Amino acid sequence: MSYNIFFILMLTLVHSTFSSLSPPDRAALESIRDSLTDMPGSSFFSTWDFTTPDPCSTFSGLACTSLGRVTTLSLGPNLSGSLSPSISNLTHLTQLVLYPGSVTGPLPPRFGSLPLLRVISITRNRLTGPIPNSFSSLSYLHTLDLSYNQLSGSLPPFLTTLPRLKVLVLASNQFSNNLKPVSSPLLHLDLKMNQISGQLPPAFPTTLRYLSLSSNSMQGTINALAPLTELTYIDLSMNQFTGAIPNSLFGPTTSSMFLQRNNFTSISNATAISLPQGSTVDMSHNSISGELPPSLAGAESLFLNNNRFTGDIPEEYVRSLTNGTTKTLFLQHNYLTRFPWNSGSQLQDSVSLCLSYNCMETDPIVGLSTCPVEVAPLLSRPAIQCSRFYNHSSTG
Ligand SMILES: *[C@@H]1O[C@H](CO)[C@@H](O)[C@H](O)[C@H]1NC(C)=O
Ligand SMILES: *[C@@H]1O[C@H](CO)[C@@H](O)[C@H](O)[C@H]1NC(C)=O
Ligand SMILES: *[C@@H]1O[C@H](CO)[C@@H](O)[C@H](O)[C@H]1NC(C)=O
Ligand SMILES: *[C@@H]1O[C@H](CO)[C@@H](O)[C@H](O)[C@H]1NC(C)=O
Ligand SMILES: *[C@@H]1O[C@H](CO)[C@@H](O)[C@H](O)[C@H]1NC(C)=O
Ligand SMILES: *[C@@H]1O[C@H](CO)[C@@H](O)[C@H](O)[C@H]1NC(C)=O
């Protein structure tokens, strides 16, 4: 017992006296400091005085263990220069952050020697080059955010198999080639605005809540996403995906669904969809044909314009508009034949409804339709396109 008390006392002493920075970490910080500078107007490094006895408690952006080993390094914002490879000498680092600035050059190449890293966030700078292979040994990595840089090369296959990775954000870089198989237990995957091509890998972790692949060059069907019933946010817009949209993507928790500007042709089993109130669904600018599914009426914002929908607009859509559930309904540029409007009904001023360029009589909709300015004020399609013998396959 007395030994235990002695031991606890010792620990308390170590904690309460300041611990000096360990020599290898001091050398690494000096090298990191030398390769970066404050941009004009920024004073991040003003506290980095290597003559002070205790950098661990006086340097901005630094946290250490009681033994003077650096655990957290948060640099910036508004730095320029480059990231020193000596970052990899901070072997106790668990969190590395570089806030927005103009830092250039590559990612540090030897991250493999940082086995404890849990968070890497290096965003909105000007880093170039590939993700180094040494990232493959970051087995404790939870969050990797390298978004808004100019990184390039293939997405390394090990990245999406890191055993503890939950958040992967590589948005707005120049990564190319295919998305590799994903086995990490990801909750959040954001690869938007890159140059990723090819088809989806066959499977995704069903843990995913947030998925963005927007603005890439991906093709093929999205059947691999059908098991993702927990998604609350999905953005596949501006790719070349084809085929049917699986109804399972519209879950009771889906609040945002952006599938616009692809080449989807249908919604599978749309009767099974049940949308939560307050959701946004954008499937505009595709090649979806058939009748409008009544089950989509629960959305707050619904964009189905520029498709090949035919038939009458379901009563449910009108009811959702008049009872305040739907605030935006864009149906322009389809082949719809009737808007079942009751002339005694009222629309709230805040409602946006666009019905231009369909196959209906203009009478009930003049005065209701409030199309965005970029939609030509042409109310109906030419009658020839609305003939039931007309072949829709070539006109959007
Ligand atoms: C970092 O570690 C390497 C290898 O142990 C060593 O050669 C190098 O001098 C260290 N860099 C600094 C700045 O301490
Ligand atoms: C960083 O720079 C931006 C843009 O010049 C400026 O708005 C911001 O206040 C700066 N932040 C700091 C902490 O210096
Ligand atoms: C969209 O898909 C249809 C049918 O699969 C095909 O005929 C058409 O060429 C595709 N359009 C584009 C822009 O890929
Ligand atoms: C469509 O969904 C309904 C309701 O969930 C289900 O009963 C039916 O089996 C589904 N049909 C197909 C073809 O998947
Ligand atoms: C509004 O109308 C839609 C479509 O009929 C219905 O599903 C929804 O429950 C209604 N909401 C309210 C608040 O009445
Ligand atoms: C519709 O157009 C496609 C391609 O132009 C053609 O193959 C098809 O036979 C046409 N269908 C009809 C019913 O005219």
Side-chain angles (χ1 to χ4, degrees):
M1 191 187 85
S2 57
Y3 172 80
N4 275 345
I5 287 175
F6 175 75
F7 190 70
I8 289 165
L9 266 176
M10 280 291 294
L11 280 179
T12 316
L13 280 175
V14 168
H15 262 290
S16 53
T17 54
F18 66 70
S19 50
S20 52
L21 187 58
S22 77
D25 286 12
R26 170 182 292 268
L29 288 178
E30 277 172 341
S31 162
I32 292 162
R33 169 69 188 92
D34 286 347
S35 69
L36 292 168
T37 36
D38 275 307
M39 289 165 67
S42 168
S43 56
F44 174 76
F45 281 123
S46 62
T47 56
W48 282 45
D49 173 1
F50 284 93
T51 65
T52 59
D54 186 16
C56 285
S57 57
T58 58
F59 282 24
S60 4
L62 205 60
C64 307
T65 66
S66 57
L67 300 175
R69 304 307 306 263
V70 174
T71 55
T72 300
L73 182 61
S74 304
L75 299 163
N78 298 349
L79 303 180
S80 59
S82 60
L83 290 176
S84 165
S86 302
I87 286 178
S88 331
N89 292 26
L90 300 172
T91 52
H92 287 58
L93 204 59
T94 61
Q95 183 165 318
L96 173 64
V97 179
L98 175 65
Y99 289 110
S102 331
V103 175
T104 55
L107 288 164
R110 290 184 288 113
F111 269 0
S113 59
L114 301 180
L116 304 178
L117 261 183
R118 288 174 46 80
V119 175
I120 300 175
S121 172
I122 298 178
T123 65
R124 294 184 193 269
N125 277 277
R126 298 187 193 156
L127 277 88
T128 50
I131 295 179
N133 283 331
S134 65
F135 276 54
S136 62
S137 45
L138 296 173
S139 55
Y140 283 91
L141 199 62
H142 173 286
T143 296
L144 178 62
D145 184 351
L146 303 173
S147 57
Y148 298 90
N149 281 289
Q150 291 151 26
L151 298 164
S152 57
S154 297
L155 292 175
F158 57 76
L159 206 56
T160 43
T161 63
L162 290 172
R164 292 183 179 81
L165 194 64
K166 296 259 167 59
V167 178
L168 178 58
V169 184
L170 303 176
S172 194
N173 279 287
Q174 290 149 27
F175 291 114
S176 55
N177 278 324
N178 300 9
L179 178 54
K180 305 300 192 301
V182 184
S183 64
S184 303
L186 290 174
L187 299 174
H188 186 115
L189 176 60
D190 185 352
L191 304 176
K192 69 171 166 283
M193 296 190 278
N194 277 285
Q195 292 153 19
I196 300 166
S197 54
Q199 307 207 350
L200 290 175
F204 284 82
T206 52
T207 45
L208 263 188
R209 301 287 184 278
Y210 181 109
L211 174 64
S212 179
L213 302 173
S214 173
S215 303
N216 280 286
S217 307
M218 301 193 72
Q219 304 161 1
T221 70
I222 61 166
N223 297 338
L225 303 179
L228 303 182
T229 55
E230 307 286 310
L231 286 172
T232 62
Y233 182 103
I234 176 168
D235 187 352
L236 305 177
S237 62
M238 294 188 259
N239 279 284
Q240 288 126 43
F241 288 118
T242 53
I245 299 168
N247 64 290
S248 53
L249 288 183
F250 302 79
T253 56
T254 312
S255 60
S256 306
M257 191 159 194
F258 300 101
L259 304 176
Q260 71 271 23
R261 295 182 192 271
N262 278 284
N263 197 10
F264 292 116
T265 49
S266 63
I267 305 167
S268 74
N269 203 5
T271 51
I273 293 171
S274 131
L275 277 175
Q277 283 201 8
S279 52
T280 296
V281 174
D282 191 340
M283 298 196 263
S284 62
H285 296 271
N286 277 290
S287 308
I288 306 173
S289 55
E291 302 207 338
L292 291 174
S295 52
L296 294 180
E300 179 171 312
S301 299
L302 183 58
F303 302 90
L304 299 176
N305 52 289
N306 298 77
N307 276 291
R308 293 177 190 159
F309 286 112
T310 49
D312 292 353
I313 296 170
E315 301 273 358
E316 286 86 345
Y317 283 47
V318 179
R319 225 176 300 137
S320 282
L321 281 172
T322 52
N323 76 12
T325 299
T326 298
K327 304 228 158 42
T328 304
L329 179 62
F330 281 7
L331 298 175
Q332 69 271 21
H333 283 260
N334 279 292
Y335 299 86
L336 300 165
T337 40
R338 199 172 83 87
F339 184 64
W341 183 248
N342 174 343
S343 57
S345 303
Q346 291 263 301
L347 278 187
Q348 287 165 15
D349 287 347
S350 56
V351 166
S352 288
L353 169 66
C354 186
L355 299 169
S356 283
Y357 216 68
N358 274 292
C359 295
M360 30 189 155
E361 294 197 16
T362 58
D363 205 28
I365 59 176
V366 174
L368 285 178
S369 198
T370 49
C371 291
V373 283
E374 68 272 16
V375 176
L378 179 58
L379 275 172
S380 277
R381 275 188 188 276
I384 175 74
Q385 293 185 10
C386 293
S387 144
R388 68 193 177 92
F389 302 110
Y390 182 67
N391 192 334
H392 292 163
S393 65
S394 53
T395 329

